Amino acid sequence: MNNRMLAEGVFFVGAIDWDRRLFDSLIPLPDGTSYNSYLIKGSEKTALIDTVDPTMTDVLMGHLDKLEIKKIDYVIANHAEQDHSGSLPHVLRKYPEAKLVCSPRCKEFLIELLMIPENKFQTVNDKDTISLGNRTLEFIHAPWVHWPETILTYLREDKILFPCDLFGSHLATNELFVTDEGRVYEAAKRYYAEIMMPFWSNIQKHLERLKGYGINTIAPSHGPVYNRPESILKAYRSWVFDEPKNIVVLPYISMHGSTQKMVRHFAEALTERGVTVKQFDLTETDLGKLAMALVDAATVVVGVPTVLAAAHPNAAHAVFLANALRPKLKFVSIIGSYGWGGKTVEQLSAMMPNLKVEVLPPVLCKGLPKEADLKALDNLAETIAQKHKENKFA
Ligand code: FEO
């Protein structure tokens, strides 16, 4: 048996990128990634689901050669981003009879991004189907996971969902199916936090809709395949539907120790009040870990010194990121030390327009924190603990 076979006649033909360490020149990939492409043989037609990053086109073509694929009838582009579409031009040259199947919006993107000729396309609407003979592909429009053009492909007879980025994980492994659920959960949560979280309310609707489909297998475009899909479906349901938890995320940076002293005191005060603290030193934090912590947190408190009359740039970067990722936060505050003044609070507060949060009174002090400043931190911790309790954040 081919060890890359999801079901009889359904093959993984993608590429594992063990060495990639950055995605979009932004997102850390501590465990590499994969670009999953799948080949489906029907009794009459053959379809390829997505391609791979253009840096690894040769791997995809090698897999197709090994399977002795002489003709592909349909190439399905679930999503136009180049890590899945980048090898399309090469595939379409090698298999010139293939129709490129995608949403109308995806067609626009692919023409712009890859200059694919108009006559190659066959666009599909929501719920359209294509027959491969004894197998049927159904297309489910699922905009904003995480681009506006995305579709999910459902292989009806085998009950396999090909959701592209949705449910994916940046994890390089040559195990086709998930074996270590804990490890994949962490990688999928990181992926969700970095890529999908800004669209959590859209994903709520898509998850509701997917309840109408029997799904035995989820074959995403990154990371291993879920042959027990309930684990990832349950995780996603928790991430997008659950209320935030009794957690304060505390990203901070300190130049001469004053802000650090405040952060330590504050973390202790929260701990005494039963609030979970996730603290991140922004001089060395993996931003993916910070993003993961934001998935469940009810509150963020930024520890920030003032530099040149404004927030330290690393703290500003963290706030910019939190605003972009739109987590389900409810409360935000700022603590930190300054030398002679500045606009740190005003600056950071103006950087959070996407966050539907209550801003709790900040605690700023001049130089080292004094007794009154430490008392103010205790009061802030008490306020947060009470707010979490009132909202039943557990
Ligand atoms: Fe894996 Fe949005 O591309």
Side-chain angles (χ1 to χ4, degrees), residues 184-239:
V184 176
Y185 175 90
E186 288 296 307
K189 187 171 185 181
R190 174 186 278 266
Y191 189 88
Y192 169 81
E194 293 166 337
I195 310 281
M196 294 293 168
M197 186 157 62
F199 309 100
W200 60 266
S201 60
N202 293 74
I203 295 170
Q204 285 183 337
K205 291 177 215 144
H206 300 319
L207 288 183
E208 285 301 312
R209 203 169 158 207
L210 287 177
K211 280 184 182 168
Y213 291 81
I215 298 172
N216 287 344
T217 303
I218 293 180
S221 60
H222 298 287
V225 173
Y226 303 90
N227 53 0
R228 293 184 297 273
E230 191 46 37
S231 60
I232 190 66
L233 289 168
K234 186 174 165 209
Y236 260 74
R237 280 197 290 270
S238 154
W239 299 332

Side-chain angles (χ1 to χ4, degrees), residues 79 81 83-84 146 165 191 222:
H79 173 37
E81 194 166 9
D83 52 323
H84 311 293
H146 58 128
D165 282 340
Y191 189 88
H222 298 287

